[in-house]
Amino acid sequence: MEQERNNIVLIGMPSAGKSTLGIVLAKILNYQFVDADLVIQNQCDKTLQKLIDACGPEGFIQVENEILRDIEAENSIIATGGSAVYSDEAMKHLAEIGRVVYLQISYEELVSRLHDLQERGVVLKGGIGMSLRELYDERKPLYEQYAEITVNIDDLSITAASRKVADALR
């Protein structure tokens, strides 16, 4: 059975506001809200950082892929982890069940928002020595590749950013 594409899938850099903005957007659009990171933590019974420490970046990406490709939702905002775009299979599934929206922030905005790379459970494919700039440059083309809609949210409050995304979806 063909599933309707009635979900909104948020992708973007760590700290772009996918989870926070997703909750506000769900209220604006009267949708459910699914935080993919929490789904992963619940299914694995570990925090993201503990999971990354236990499995390594590649192992985590594999776990994330398996969980994301099986997500079933209706009329939901799905906030993905920043590393979801490393999983082609998961992203294809998410694009089949919803419209993929890239919450775009500049590198400068990322630097000002993200202070605790180690504590946040951020997947660094290049290892812990990977710089924020390398992370940004590696992921940006992936977000652009999978995005159906791109919304730049630099310098916007969560509410303003949520309204901008809601407008872009209309």
Side-chain angles (χ1 to χ4, degrees), residues 13 107 131-142:
M13 293 289 168
Y107 175 69
S131 73
L132 206 48
R133 180 85 240 183
E134 289 165 327
L135 180 83
Y136 186 86
D137 292 344
E138 177 179 81
R139 290 189 184 180
K140 188 171 184 276
L142 293 170

Side-chain angles (χ1 to χ4, degrees), residues 47-162:
T47 65
L48 295 184
Q49 191 57 57
K50 285 200 169 110
L51 211 54
I52 294 165
D53 293 343
C55 312
E58 295 301 330
F60 176 82
I61 290 166
Q62 199 174 342
V63 169
E64 183 176 42
N65 182 50
E66 286 167 18
I67 291 173
L68 290 180
R69 71 166 189 226
D70 294 335
I71 278 191
E72 289 184 20
E74 293 284 324
N75 299 313
S76 296
I77 307 292
I78 302 169
T80 64
S83 56
V85 289
Y86 290 138
S87 308
D88 189 56
E89 196 182 6
M91 289 308 302
K92 284 193 171 112
H93 169 70
L94 293 170
E96 281 166 14
I97 65 166
R99 292 158 76 193
V100 179
V101 178
Y102 168 29
L103 299 181
Q104 183 186 57
I105 59 173
S106 66
Y107 175 69
E108 293 67 33
E109 183 85 1
L110 177 67
V111 170
S112 74
R113 290 180 184 212
L114 191 63
H115 309 290
D116 51 349
L117 207 53
Q118 307 307 321
E119 287 82 58
R120 277 199 58 132
V122 174
V123 175
L124 301 171
K125 275 183 90 174
I128 53 171
M130 188 175 195
S131 73
L132 206 48
R133 180 85 240 183
E134 289 165 327
L135 180 83
Y136 186 86
D137 292 344
E138 177 179 81
R139 290 189 184 180
K140 188 171 184 276
L142 293 170
Y143 295 133
E144 290 166 354
Q145 172 191 331
Y146 290 113
E148 191 174 324
I149 299 167
T150 298
V151 181
N152 184 287
I153 57 166
D154 273 359
D155 303 321
L156 293 179
S157 68
I158 289 295
T159 307
S162 302

